[in-house]
Amino acid sequence: MTSTPPSLEEIAAAGNRRLRDADRLKKSGDELKELVLAALRDGAHRPTEVAKASGWTGAHVRKMARDNGIEPDERYRERAERLKKAQEPSDG
């Protein structure tokens, strides 16, 4: 069976679809980011719930939050510090 090579028009159309889809992906990503940041600022949902609902990792959501001036809740900060201290090797 012989296959015909794609035409330049087919290649151009695929290229245009890729650009259009990239633009739509960027727009939807920007919209999701704004929703996530708004939810974190509001505090109605736990950050882990927001991350899970968004489909992004917790680390990515935390980085976005810190980059946008949203600091962790003091309870989380205190818990993280306790866990860190508990994991430190003891002198002895």
Side-chain angles (χ1 to χ4, degrees):
M1 183 188 297
T2 60
S3 64
T4 58
S7 70
L8 293 177
E9 290 80 15
E10 290 171 315
I11 293 169
N16 288 333
R17 281 192 303 274
R18 185 184 64 79
L19 288 174
R20 183 188 65 230
D21 292 348
D23 288 342
R24 287 192 352 223
L25 180 60
K26 169 117 175 61
K27 183 179 179 197
S28 66
D30 290 346
E31 290 170 357
L32 177 57
K33 178 180 176 180
E34 290 307 313
L35 289 171
V36 165
L37 293 174
L40 293 174
R41 283 185 189 105
D42 182 64
H45 305 288
R46 292 182 10 215
T48 54
E49 295 170 331
V50 173
K52 185 176 181 180
S54 73
W56 284 328
T57 65
H60 182 70
V61 170
R62 281 189 300 278
K63 181 175 179 351
M64 278 193 324
R66 300 311 167 261
D67 289 349
N68 285 276
I70 302 170
E71 293 300 321
D73 184 303
E74 280 302 314
R75 293 172 297 167
Y76 295 114
R77 185 186 315 249
E78 291 168 6
R79 179 176 174 265
E81 287 174 7
R82 280 195 312 270
L83 290 172
K84 185 177 178 182
K85 286 180 184 177
Q87 292 177 349
E88 290 176 356
S90 61
D91 294 334

